[in-house]
Amino acid sequence: MLSVNRLSVHYGPIRALDAASIRIGRGEFVALLGPNGAGKTSLISGIAGLVRAQGRVLFEDREIGALPTEDRVRRGLTMTPEGRHVFANLTVAENLRLGAAIRRDREGVAQDIEKYLGLFPILRERNHQLAGTLSGGEQQMLAIARSMMSRPRLLMLDEPSLGLAPRIVAQMFDYISLLKEAGVTLLVVEQNVMQALKHADRAYVISSGIIRHEGKAEELRSDRRLIDMYLGN
Amino acid sequence: MSVTTQTRSAQKTLAPWMRSLVGGLVTALPVILIGIVILLFAPAYLVRVAFAAYVNLLIVLGLQIFMGNSMVANLGQGAFVGIGAYSVAILATPVAMKKLSIPDAPFGLADIVLHPALAAGAGLGITGLIAALTGLVIARLSGEAATIVTFSLMMVVHSIFIQWTDLFKGAQAFFGIPQVVGLATAIGAATLATIIARLFKDSASGLHLRASAESLLAARAFGVDVFRLRLLAWILGAVICASGGILYAFFMGTINARAFHFELVMTTLAMLILGGMRTVSGAVFGCIALALLLEAIRSVESGIAVAGFQLPPLLGLSGLAMGAIIVLGMTFRPRGIFVRLELDELLWRLFARRQPRAITEGKPI
Amino acid sequence: MDYAIQQGLNALAFGSEYALIALGLALVYSIMNLMNFAHGEIIACAGYSMYLAILIGIGSPWLVAPIAIAAGALVAVLFERIAFRPVRHAPTTTGLLTALGVSIVVQNLLTLLISPRPRAVPVFSELSRTIFIGPYAISLLQLLELAVVALAIGGLVLFLKHSTLGLAIRAATREFSTVRLMGIRANRVIATAFALSGLLAGIAAIFIIARRGSIDPTFGFQPVIKAFIACVIGGFGSLGGAVLGGMLLGFLDVAIIVLLPQEYGGLRDAIAYSIIAGLLVWRPEGLLTRRIELGDKEI
């Protein structure tokens, strides 16, 4: 579904990502693991087109590397940025509406809003509150629901567990697994290695801008040496 | 042993300072050469044009000292040019003249006259004082607020010039100022200002101020007193702008508040941007380039004969060119002609070729 | 009493004009951190469109007014496309200076192509009438201006609250790249913001023309300087702040005129700018400050 070939990202003279290649099959849940500053966010930002990147990005067999972010999203590839990037000065309902900005089927949109308010009941309670007043976990739920409103086929999540209490982290991964069951292909950036490997099918390990390892989630989970070397816990 | 260490460390502390001085001289070289050529060969009207260009250069250098090091946009330099010019106009104009033009001047100013040199010194002092007072406020601000306050400063000063007719003759021209300077003085002053601007840029204060412009938080974290440095640059820049105004008054003999308003600000700003505001060389060459271009356009603007046809006057052409230069400059070369390295540094790199080009041209994102 | 009401209305009319222009500036600033100094030339172009409309024989105010509004929006979008798009990601100072450059270019183009001298635009002379509401003599123009500005602001609020693009504009004030992640085209959001600011500028041009009756190349300069200050006082980028700042400035203007003895009339500007500088020193971020957050403005 997604095939990234030798993607590099530079910030001025600093090379954040060095010729990274990954592949994701339809319906897979792939985790992208690595320490802070390893280049995880650079990789998915490059795939989403938010930062300038060299290399090839094939999505559903079409080269999208030259397209602006907006067009990639319109083709069904989207990204939920890390942490608090909800539209803080808009209400929850307005956030969700903007999530569906590219859709023309009003009824479908209304149904989807109902669906995600059902999945995240707390959002229904806070429907008319400003998103900036939500807690960290609620904002994360909103960000995911908002991304889902565009009906992406591939969703990239940047650190969905960042800053959340451990109990909520587990809950968040349950939600993410629900998305996979709904047929969405997932690429999830995580520092919370164990949680991610518990739910993912496959994982890439990245450090210093280079993809170091790739493998099945359960194999990686038992590979203490690898985890110690790159993931540090 | 201790003696050698001392001399060596003395050399070390002296060397960069000397290098800046030499660098400043190299940058000022075209200023001096063009000036000498004009002094020797040019007709009188060209001397006037050149004089105006040198005054502009002083103002651009004053602007560069504050803007180029602190990266805070300043739209108020006209105030200081005007304060300098009016200071000497009021202090150095002969009493007989003042009895005619400003008989009701307050503080008995109509009855005193200072030697032009003293008046110039007083003008610089007054400007320094006003700059220090306004700087207390401006140096604390950043971004748009700072820019609007510099602009407000000019508007306030301008309306005082216009309103306080007893002292400044209001909207009318202030005449009778002794015409005591020539182009040679302006060349000297511009050379000196070029060197001062360069020494300031390369000094510890200049370096810290430039660092603070890159990252205010980081500079503060390293203990850089951004406020003090901005204040310093503001005062120094203001005094140099005022020196331009003083020379202007002493050359023209007649001044008008309108000359120190928006148009002056725009012209000098365009010069600085064109050249590159981070470097002193940028200030110098931006001024030279735009002065030449504007003069060429002005001759067209007033209507010239091309191949036997008399073209009509094209009012607005020089303004159009200036605006276009700003827009194009911002689009294609937002950092100007001299982005980061000074002329001498570029020449040094060119001849020495000691370092790979990639590094000399390395620019941040 | 009569005098007080008259001056109050004056202040409201001035204030609403500043607010209208300031809103346009704030709209653009809030989404791309651009201090659009060329906004005054949008007003001037809208004004000249009326002059040209009359020149080619369109004399009815009902036709001329919409032409001005459309011209304002069109010119604003053109400025964005030609001049501001290339410097979109540049630092604030670059954008500010580009805008200044555009402003100078357009002013001089108008000088070159039309005339440096004022041209009469007598189309709204009907409006300079005085009407009587009860015992009060009130200028029809001012009344109309208040009503139109209220309508325009109301319409803008509705647009920003209910249309997708309006929501996107509000969202983009803090999270521009996240808006793009919704599949909304950045260029459209920005063009819409410019078009809206141009619409407001066009409306402002109509009322300035109605009051002055003539136009010259520096037509938009003075009002835009005032609107800028209104924005800075209100808190740059805050739409509510722009309106508040504009109103405040209108009252300040009238108060200075009313309270300042005649012989110091020339100090109006000096006093106004001193107060403005004072306000900024007191609150550098403006009265209604947009809280500074670590958003994603770099992208």
Side-chain angles (χ1 to χ4, degrees):
Chain A
M1 179 166 216
L2 180 77
S3 158
V4 175
N5 200 356
R6 298 187 62 79
L7 198 71
S8 298
V9 173
H10 299 258
Y11 299 111
I14 299 155
R15 177 172 291 200
L17 187 67
D18 190 2
S21 302
I22 64 169
R23 298 176 76 85
I24 301 173
R26 192 173 299 278
E28 259 192 314
F29 179 163
V30 176
L32 184 58
L33 309 172
N36 244 338
K40 305 183 299 283
T41 302
S42 295
L43 175 54
I44 62 169
S45 301
I47 296 172
L50 285 176
V51 295
R52 197 185 294 258
Q54 289 83 45
R56 286 163 63 83
V57 182
L58 267 95
F59 179 62
E60 296 180 330
D61 302 326
R62 282 240 192 77
E63 170 66 46
I64 58 165
L67 296 180
T69 301
E70 298 90 310
D71 289 333
R72 300 184 200 202
V73 173
R74 282 159 189 262
R75 293 189 179 201
L77 165 73
T78 197
M79 164 182 161
T80 306
E82 159 249 303
R84 317 272 150 117
H85 290 289
V86 294
F87 302 128
N89 51 338
L90 270 58
T91 64
V92 169
E94 288 172 331
N95 266 274
L96 292 177
R97 263 191 66 194
L98 265 189
I102 56 173
R103 289 171 59 183
R104 291 286 162 265
D105 55 326
R106 279 167 176 274
E107 278 174 28
V109 171
Q111 278 170 13
D112 277 7
I113 288 179
E114 270 310 303
K115 184 164 123 199
Y116 293 108
L117 292 183
L119 184 62
F120 304 114
I122 190 75
L123 294 184
R124 191 190 298 279
E125 264 175 55
R126 309 232 186 277
N127 204 13
H128 294 291
Q129 272 183 17
L130 291 184
T133 65
L134 302 184
S135 74
E138 291 160 1
Q139 290 192 353
Q140 195 56 258
M141 291 174 202
L142 175 59
I144 292 174
R146 188 184 58 186
S147 294
M148 290 305 296
M149 289 304 297
S150 68
R151 290 205 166 155
R153 289 189 292 284
L154 172 63
L155 177 62
M156 299 185 287
L157 292 171
D158 194 2
E159 309 248 7
S161 73
L162 191 78
L164 300 187
R167 187 175 47 83
I168 304 181
V169 171
Q171 201 186 355
M172 189 60 69
F173 274 99
D174 289 339
Y175 286 135
I176 295 171
S177 299
L178 284 177
L179 300 181
K180 174 183 149 70
E181 280 160 33
V184 182
T185 307
L186 290 161
L187 176 59
V188 179
V189 166
E190 258 305 327
Q191 284 199 63
N192 195 327
V193 177
M194 279 313 164
Q195 276 291 349
L197 289 179
K198 208 164 99 192
H199 291 84
D201 303 319
R202 217 151 50 79
Y204 287 91
V205 178
I206 185 170
S207 97
S208 306
I210 296 170
I211 302 273
R212 305 286 179 180
H213 197 85
E214 181 262 318
K216 288 220 156 59
E218 55 256 44
E219 287 169 14
L220 283 174
R221 217 158 14 142
S222 52
D223 192 342
R224 285 255 44 115
R225 198 184 56 86
L226 187 81
I227 289 180
D228 286 343
M229 195 182 317
Y230 294 116
L231 308 169
N233 52 350
Chain B
M1 162 99 187
S2 83
V3 176
T4 35
T5 328
Q6 253 180 356
T7 33
R8 199 174 291 161
S9 76
Q11 265 177 353
K12 264 186 189 164
T13 48
L14 200 66
W17 186 80
M18 284 295 284
R19 219 185 300 154
S20 303
L21 189 69
V22 173
L25 271 171
V26 171
T27 309
L29 211 57
V31 174
I32 303 170
L33 289 180
I34 294 174
I36 290 174
V37 170
I38 292 175
L39 272 179
L40 290 180
F41 304 110
Y45 88 93
L46 215 58
V47 171
R48 277 177 81 88
V49 170
F51 192 91
Y54 278 97
V55 167
N56 276 342
L57 177 55
L58 281 168
I59 300 166
V60 177
L61 285 166
L63 203 55
Q64 194 277 333
I65 290 175
F66 180 70
M67 258 177 89
N69 292 302
S70 73
M71 298 308 280
V72 173
N74 173 9
L75 298 178
Q77 69 270 39
F80 295 118
V81 183
I83 291 170
Y86 273 106
S87 298
V88 297
I90 292 164
L91 293 175
T93 304
V95 174
M97 223 33 141
K98 281 197 278 198
K99 288 284 177 224
L100 281 176
S101 57
I102 48 166
D104 303 320
F107 321 121
L109 282 170
D111 304 314
I112 58 156
V113 61
L114 295 183
H115 184 273
L118 266 179
L124 294 180
I126 292 167
T127 312
L129 194 66
I130 295 175
L133 291 176
T134 53
L136 288 178
V137 169
I138 287 165
R140 278 179 214 287
L141 301 171
S142 299
E144 288 85 27
T147 306
I148 295 281
V149 171
T150 62
F151 180 76
S152 301
L153 170 68
M154 187 177 70
M155 297 302 278
V156 170
V157 169
H158 183 77
S159 25
I160 291 174
F161 286 157
I162 299 288
Q163 174 66 20
W164 200 349
T165 38
D166 285 352
L167 190 56
F168 300 106
K169 281 210 80 204
Q172 286 173 307
F174 194 120
F175 54 85
I177 308 160
Q179 290 171 277
V180 290
V181 302
L183 184 57
T185 319
I187 297 169
T191 308
L192 191 65
T194 309
I195 292 167
I196 291 174
R198 178 61 184 276
L199 287 176
F200 179 76
K201 183 191 162 211
D202 289 350
S203 70
S205 302
L207 186 68
H208 288 163
L209 192 54
R210 282 183 284 147
S212 78
E214 302 286 343
S215 170
L216 196 59
L217 282 179
R220 285 213 172 112
F222 283 112
V224 174
D225 185 350
V226 179
F227 167 74
R228 195 182 60 83
L229 295 178
R230 277 195 190 160
L231 182 63
L232 190 64
W234 175 254
I235 297 173
L236 188 59
V239 168
I240 289 184
C241 283
S243 71
I246 291 170
L247 287 179
Y248 178 77
F250 277 146
F251 181 81
M252 302 296 287
T254 305
I255 56 172
N256 191 313
R258 254 181 321 192
F260 314 118
H261 206 39
F262 218 66
E263 205 184 316
L264 176 75
V265 170
M266 287 298 110
T267 313
T268 48
L269 197 61
M271 288 171 167
L272 184 58
I273 293 163
L274 178 72
M277 64 174 137
R278 286 162 181 263
T279 58
V280 178
S281 311
V284 170
F285 283 86
C287 183
I288 294 176
L290 197 57
L292 288 175
L293 186 77
L294 286 182
E295 201 40 48
I297 292 169
R298 268 191 206 115
S299 58
V300 179
E301 197 173 41
S302 53
I304 53 161
V306 174
F309 291 102
Q310 179 68 35
L311 289 177
L314 296 167
L315 280 179
L317 206 59
S318 56
L320 187 68
M322 201 171 71
I325 283 170
I326 298 180
V327 175
L328 294 176
M330 285 293 110
T331 308
F332 296 109
R333 224 177 148 80
R335 288 152 195 269
I337 303 170
F338 290 88
V339 177
R340 210 166 265 280
L341 292 179
E342 300 284 352
L343 177 66
D344 54 295
E345 291 163 340
L346 284 170
L347 290 174
W348 176 246
R349 293 270 150 97
L350 200 67
F351 289 123
R353 286 194 189 279
R354 290 213 299 213
Q355 285 177 340
R357 284 180 69 86
I359 293 177
T360 62
E361 289 190 351
K363 22 178 157 168
I365 331 157
Chain C
M1 191 60 202
D2 201 19
Y3 181 70
I5 287 177
Q6 187 51 50
Q7 293 301 346
L9 196 63
N10 262 338
L12 277 176
F14 274 130
S16 60
E17 180 188 308
Y18 295 150
L20 205 56
I21 304 172
L23 254 181
L25 289 173
L27 260 175
V28 166
Y29 184 85
S30 69
I31 63 163
M32 55 187 288
N33 277 12
L34 170 73
M35 286 174 85
N36 186 8
F37 248 107
H39 199 66
E41 280 55 51
I42 299 174
I43 300 175
C45 288
Y48 274 104
S49 76
M50 293 188 260
Y51 168 71
L52 293 176
I54 295 169
L55 212 62
I56 60 169
I58 302 170
S60 156
W62 297 106
L63 285 173
V64 172
I67 288 177
I69 295 172
L74 185 74
V75 170
V77 172
L78 274 179
F79 281 5
E80 191 277 317
R81 184 70 197 83
I82 296 169
F84 298 131
R85 194 168 292 184
V87 296
R88 191 181 287 173
H89 307 305
T92 322
T93 314
T94 310
L96 170 74
L97 296 175
T98 307
L100 273 175
V102 172
S103 156
I104 298 172
V105 165
V106 175
Q107 267 186 34
N108 285 286
L109 266 181
L110 293 171
T111 305
L112 259 177
L113 299 178
I114 299 176
S115 166
R117 275 194 288 279
R119 297 284 179 186
V121 185
V123 63
F124 300 112
S125 46
E126 277 290 296
L127 296 180
S128 330
R129 269 186 316 184
T130 306
I131 56 170
F132 290 90
I133 299 180
Y136 304 117
I138 285 170
S139 141
L140 175 63
L141 181 64
Q142 285 183 345
L143 214 57
L144 208 61
E145 182 162 15
L146 279 179
V148 170
V149 169
L151 266 176
I153 293 178
L156 183 69
V157 169
L158 282 180
F159 180 82
L160 291 176
K161 277 221 178 291
H162 294 290
S163 72
T164 304
L165 267 173
L167 288 180
I169 286 175
R170 278 165 62 213
T173 60
R174 297 197 189 178
E175 299 278 343
F176 203 102
S177 54
T178 312
V179 169
R180 299 178 63 198
L181 279 171
M182 306 294 110
I184 301 166
R185 295 189 197 283
N187 287 343
R188 269 190 72 191
V189 177
I190 290 178
T192 310
F194 267 92
L196 286 173
S197 88
L199 282 179
L200 300 179
I203 298 174
I206 295 171
F207 284 103
I208 303 176
I209 282 280
R211 192 162 350 172
R212 285 201 208 160
S214 73
I215 187 166
D216 62 73
T218 58
F219 183 71
F221 182 73
Q222 209 61 37
V224 127
I225 292 286
K226 283 290 169 68
F228 248 105
I229 290 157
C231 280
V232 177
I233 293 174
F236 229 107
S238 148
L239 302 188
V243 175
L244 175 76
M247 286 298 173
L248 219 64
L249 215 55
F251 277 90
L252 182 66
D253 268 9
V254 170
I256 290 175
I257 294 172
V258 171
L259 298 177
L260 202 67
Q262 196 78 52
E263 62 268 30
Y264 293 111
L267 284 182
R268 263 177 66 188
D269 271 359
I271 292 170
Y273 281 103
S274 302
I275 293 174
I276 289 152
L279 268 177
L280 282 179
V281 173
W282 173 51
R283 291 203 62 156
E285 307 292 338
L287 297 177
L288 296 188
T289 315
R290 183 160 59 110
R291 218 173 69 222
I292 303 295
E293 289 181 6
L294 297 173
D296 56 0
K297 276 295 179 200
E298 298 88 16
I299 300 196

